[in-house]
Amino acid sequence: MEDLRLTERLVGTDEVKIQARGVNVYYGESHAIKDVDVDILDKTVTAFIGPSGCGKSTFLRCLNRMNDTIDNCRVTGSIRLDGQDIYDRSVDPVQLRAQVGMVFQKPNPFPKSIYDNVAYGPRIHGLARSKADLDEIVEKSLRRAALWNEAKDRLDQPGTGLSGGQQQRLCIARAIATSPEVLLMDEPCSALDPIATAQVEELIDELRANFSVVIVTHSMQQAARVSQRTAFFHLGNLVEYGETGQVFTNPRDPRTESYITGRIG
Amino acid sequence: MADIDIAAGGWTSEASRENVRRRRRGELWLKAAGLVAITIAFAMLLTLLASLVITGFRAFTQTHVTLQVTLPPGDETPSFRAATRGAIEALFEGADEAQKREASRILSSGAQYIIESHVAANPDLIGQTFSIRVPVSDPYDQLAKGLIDRETPEALRRVSDAGIAAFDRLSEAGLISRPFNTALFVNADSRFPELAGLKGAIIGSFYALLTCFLISFPIGIGAAIYLEEFARKNRLSDFIEININNLAAVPSVVFGLLALAVFLNWFGLPRGAPFVGGLTLALMTLPTIIIATRAALKAVPPSIREAALGVGASKQQVVFHHVLPLAMPGILTGTIIGLAQALGETAPLLLIGMNAFITAAPSTPFDSATALPTQIFIWADSPERGFVSRTSAAILVLLGFLVLMNALAIYLRNRFERRW
C-alpha cells in the first residue's frame, strides 16, 4: 500500500458535522447496529468499510433517515446534524433529506430529461424563484458533478440514455442540487467500470471542498484513495475509527488488521 | 472427491453420449407438446370464428325491393299504409289472385314507416311519385339468400308456391336488390328480424362501460395506491388483500344478485338502466383494476422510489411524480382488460333487467336499454329464422369491439412505456 500517498491526505477541519451517540438499529428481532458512536467531520471524506452485512450501509441510511421507509426498522440513540437531533419529533425527514443528499449503489436517474433530473429537488423544495434561477442551479450542479461539458447540449434528453458513469455523476448532480451539507454515498462505484470509477473518485475529492462526504465502499483501495477518515464496521460494531492513514498502516484493533490484510471479510 | 466415480470414461464415452441423447429427446418432447397445444388452441379459435362468420355473414346484407310510391297531392297527412299497399299491388297488375294476396306479405311490416320517415325528411315528395327501396320480410329474405329450399313440399315451407312465384316476378323485373344491412347498426331492437338492429345495445353497452369506468378507475387506483404505498403491512392489510383476490374470483351472477338487492330494491334505481348496469359491472371490475394497479405499482423499481426519497420528496410526491406515471401503462392495460371483460358480461345484466325488449335506443344512461351481450342473449332466444344469422352477426360485432379495446390497451402500453 505504498502507492497510496496516505500522508498527503490532511483532514480539512476538525469541526464535527454529524455526531452519533449510542446508535442501535434493529430490523425486527435482528440487531443490525450495536451501540455506535461516531463523529463525522465537516469538509472531509469519511469512508465506511467492512465485510458484507456488517451494517455500514444500514448506518449510512440512518444519517438521512432512509431507514424510516422500512417497516420493521427501529433506530435508537441520538444522531445530531449541526447539534440538531435528526430523530427529533420536530424534524421532518423530507427536509432532512434535502440537507443530507444521497447517492445510491446503482445509478438511478429518473426516466426524465437530464435537466428535470437535476431540477427535481430544487423544484419540490422551492429553492428557485424563477426559471433563470433554476437554470443556474442545474448548470452549477452539473458543473460540480463534472458532467456539464458532456450534458450541456442534451439537457432535454433522457437521463437514462447516458452511460453508467455519466448516470452516476448525474445522480451526484441531482443530490447536490438542493445544496446539502452532507453527501452520503452508498457504494457509488460498484456498478461502474474502472475509468468511470476514477472519474467519480476524482469528483468526490473535489466535492470535499463544499460538503461533508460519507462513502460506503467494499473496496479498501477506494477507501484509502478517497477518504481522510475511515470507519471499520464488523458484525454491527464500529471496530475502529480514525484517520485513513492510521487505520490502513497502523490499525489498533486486530480485527481491522485481519480485514485489511484479507484474512476476514 | 476422488472416491466418487464421475462419468466413467469421460465426456466422449458411450454413457455420456446416451445421456445427451436422452436430454435431447426430452427437449423434443417438450417442444412437440407445446406445438400441439398451440395448434389445438388455434384450431378452436378458427372453428369458432369460422362458424360465426359462416352463419353471421348473411345478416350483413338485407334483401330490399324497390317501390314506386305515389302520394296524392294536397294531402298533408297521407295514408302511408294505403300508399305502400298501392305501390306493391301496382307491381302485380295482371297477375293471378293468389300472387296478389301474397304480394303484401313480401314487404316488411315496417315498410310503411320507412316510407313515412323518408317523406318526413323530404316533405316536397308529397304529391309526387318517387322510388324507394324497402326491406322485404324475413321469410322472403331467407328465400333470396337461398336458405329456403324450393324443392321442399309447400306445406313444410315458410313461403307458399304463390309467394315464390310473386317474389320471382319481382326478381325478374329487376326490383330486388341486396345492399349492406345498415339497419343492423342504425336501428334498435325489433320483433321483425329485417328491422332489428344493435343501436340500442351498442349505446346501452357504451353508457354502462362509461359508468363502470368512471366509478371503478378512480376508486380502483385510489385503493391500490393506498394499499400498496401507504397502508401498513399487517394482518388487516393481508385480510383485505385476500378478500380482494377472492372478489375477483366471485362468479358474476352473484354481483348481479347483489346489485338487484342493493341498487334496485333498496336504492330504488331504475330497472334495466345502463347506469345501474355500469354500477354492477364496476363492482366486478374493481378487484381486477386494483390487482392490476398494485402489480403495476410493485413493478416500478425500488431504486426510483429511493432516488426520489433521497432528494427529499415526500411519500405523496414520490407516488404522484414518479411511481404512478411509470405504472400508468400497466394500470391502463389492466383497466382496459377489466373493461373488456365487463363488456362481455351477461349474467349480472340479466338480473338487473337489461334483457327487456326495447325498441328505442336509450338517450340517457337512465333509460332502460339492453347491452350487446344481453341483446345476443335475447336474439339467440328468438324463434324467427332471421335472428339466427343476426345473433352470429351481433357476436361478431361484440368480438370486434373486444379486439378494438385490446388493441387500444396494447397501443397505450407501447405509447407510454418508458425505460429506466
Side-chain angles (χ1 to χ4, degrees), chain B residues 65-337:
Chain B
V65 56
T66 309
L67 295 181
Q68 297 293 325
V69 181
T70 307
L71 291 176
D75 191 351
E76 286 304 314
T77 53
S79 163
F80 289 100
R81 188 183 159 83
T84 312
R85 208 182 167 80
I88 187 77
E89 276 172 1
L91 298 172
F92 286 94
E93 253 164 65
D96 62 49
E97 283 306 311
Q99 277 192 32
K100 277 186 183 172
R101 270 200 308 278
E102 279 299 323
S104 56
R105 290 195 198 153
I106 290 179
L107 286 188
S108 160
S109 17
Q112 54 170 307
Y113 304 110
I114 292 170
I115 295 170
E116 186 173 347
S117 57
H118 180 68
V119 173
N122 308 284
D124 51 328
L125 289 178
I126 290 175
Q128 295 187 22
T129 299
F130 57 95
S131 102
I132 184 170
R133 226 159 45 171
V134 295
V136 304
S137 64
D138 184 45
Y140 289 94
D141 186 42
Q142 306 283 327
L143 179 72
K145 287 170 178 170
L147 293 170
I148 290 178
D149 187 1
R150 288 165 190 247
E151 306 301 317
T152 316
E154 189 180 8
L156 302 175
R157 234 192 284 125
R158 289 172 65 225
V159 286
S160 61
D161 287 340
I164 292 181
F167 187 78
D168 288 344
R169 185 187 166 104
L170 294 178
S171 266
E172 278 154 30
L175 296 171
I176 299 293
S177 58
R178 198 137 61 107
F180 182 71
N181 185 8
T182 47
L184 191 62
F185 297 96
V186 302
N187 285 5
D189 199 9
S190 166
R191 266 188 310 132
F192 306 105
E194 69 273 14
L195 299 175
L198 291 168
K199 187 184 173 193
I202 290 173
I203 294 177
S205 268
F206 172 76
Y207 280 143
L209 276 191
L210 187 70
T211 312
C212 171
F213 173 77
L214 289 179
I215 289 173
S216 59
F217 188 68
I219 296 181
I221 290 189
I225 288 177
Y226 177 75
L227 287 173
E228 195 58 41
E229 304 285 337
F230 294 98
R232 290 193 147 270
K233 304 274 173 288
N234 54 22
R235 271 160 186 246
L236 182 66
S237 68
D238 285 349
F239 180 75
I240 291 173
E241 176 161 4
I242 290 169
N243 275 291
I244 289 172
N245 291 337
N246 283 342
L247 275 182
V250 167
S252 55
V253 67
V254 177
F255 285 106
L257 281 170
L258 176 73
L260 177 63
V262 175
F263 297 143
L264 297 190
N265 294 345
W266 191 14
F267 292 169
L269 291 172
R271 183 170 296 270
F275 175 72
V276 182
L279 290 179
T280 314
L281 295 175
L283 291 178
M284 284 185 43
T285 315
L286 253 179
T288 314
I289 292 185
I290 293 176
I291 292 169
T293 305
R294 291 190 68 177
L297 291 173
K298 233 179 243 170
V300 174
S303 64
I304 294 293
R305 288 167 222 265
E306 286 200 322
L309 284 172
V311 294
S314 68
K315 194 131 199 188
Q316 176 248 332
Q317 286 170 326
V318 173
V319 171
F320 285 94
H321 294 171
H322 301 284
V323 177
L324 202 55
L326 289 175
M328 223 35 176
I331 295 174
L332 288 177
T333 312
T335 304
I336 291 173
I337 286 173

Side-chain angles (χ1 to χ4, degrees), chain A residues 75-204:
Chain A
V75 179
T76 64
S78 95
I79 299 177
R80 292 175 179 277
L81 172 67
D82 291 331
Q84 165 69 49
D85 186 353
I86 62 168
Y87 280 87
D88 194 76
R89 269 170 188 283
S90 65
V91 172
D92 183 6
V94 166
Q95 290 301 324
L96 172 71
R97 289 183 199 131
Q99 295 301 306
V100 183
M102 189 156 190
V103 177
F104 298 85
Q105 188 168 359
K106 207 173 141 248
N108 56 356
F110 300 130
K112 299 174 188 258
S113 71
I114 293 174
Y115 184 93
D116 286 338
N117 261 283
V118 182
Y120 183 69
R123 261 189 201 136
I124 60 171
H125 294 292
L127 300 181
R129 249 162 285 121
S130 63
K131 176 84 172 76
D133 261 9
L134 196 60
D135 288 349
E136 200 187 313
I137 293 176
V138 170
E139 179 175 345
K140 202 173 105 192
S141 306
L142 285 171
R143 276 189 195 284
R144 277 180 165 179
L147 193 60
W148 177 250
N149 287 335
E150 291 150 82
K152 66 182 173 200
D153 299 325
R154 44 196 286 208
L155 290 176
D156 56 342
Q157 283 174 30
T160 42
L162 296 170
S163 74
Q166 288 172 327
Q167 285 189 19
Q168 195 61 301
R169 279 181 279 149
L170 177 62
C171 293
I172 293 172
R174 183 177 63 191
I176 60 183
T178 55
S179 327
E181 319 244 329
V182 181
L183 197 56
L184 308 178
M185 299 183 150
D186 191 355
E187 300 184 37
C189 301
S190 62
L192 304 183
D193 64 46
I195 294 169
T197 301
Q199 285 172 325
V200 171
E201 285 181 3
E202 205 172 305
L203 175 59
I204 291 170

Side-chain angles (χ1 to χ4, degrees), chain B residues 50-74:
Chain B
S51 78
L52 283 175
V53 170
I54 287 167
T55 36
F57 82 98
R58 288 191 182 91
F60 288 102
T61 57
Q62 164 67 38
T63 314
H64 281 63
V65 56
T66 309
L67 295 181
Q68 297 293 325
V69 181
T70 307
L71 291 176

